[in-house]
Amino acid sequence: MSEYKQIVRQFFSRFFRTDGLDDADDVFAGGYVNSLFAIQLIAWLEKEFSITIEDDDLQLTNFSTINSIAQMLGRKVGVVVPA
């Protein structure tokens, strides 16, 4: 598991159980994340990784799974993150 995936999973675990959550599971469809929590997630990502989430980044596909969040983070900091 990449470092980004571990960090995101640890953040999620502060709010809900992640032991049954696979890196490819859709956190919105699974009921783990709602729109309010998504705002909190974006704010945390910006602070934790010293990045700016641009309007173009605000696509559900960038935040729907741990894999997609890690990949988006990799793009923002210029690191290739395997799926």
Side-chain angles (χ1 to χ4, degrees):
M1 182 183 297
S2 78
E3 182 180 342
Y4 293 145
K5 292 179 187 180
Q6 282 183 318
I7 294 168
V8 170
R9 183 175 288 281
Q10 287 173 350
F11 175 75
F12 282 169
S13 72
R14 296 187 336 209
F15 301 95
F16 54 85
R17 293 183 61 123
T18 60
D19 46 335
L21 180 66
D22 186 69
D23 290 347
D25 289 345
D26 187 317
V27 294
F28 289 95
Y32 296 101
V33 175
N34 60 28
S35 58
L36 184 59
F37 184 80
I39 301 290
Q40 186 175 0
L41 172 63
I42 290 168
W44 174 80
L45 289 168
E46 288 183 323
K47 182 178 178 187
E48 181 73 17
F49 295 98
S50 300
I51 60 171
T52 300
I53 305 292
E54 307 289 341
D55 289 345
D56 291 345
D57 299 319
L58 296 175
Q59 301 174 28
L60 189 59
T61 56
N62 284 333
F63 300 96
S64 60
T65 68
I66 291 174
N67 285 336
S68 63
I69 295 168
Q71 290 170 348
M72 192 248 332
L73 285 170
R75 287 191 303 273
K76 297 299 280 181
V77 297
V79 176
V80 176
V81 177

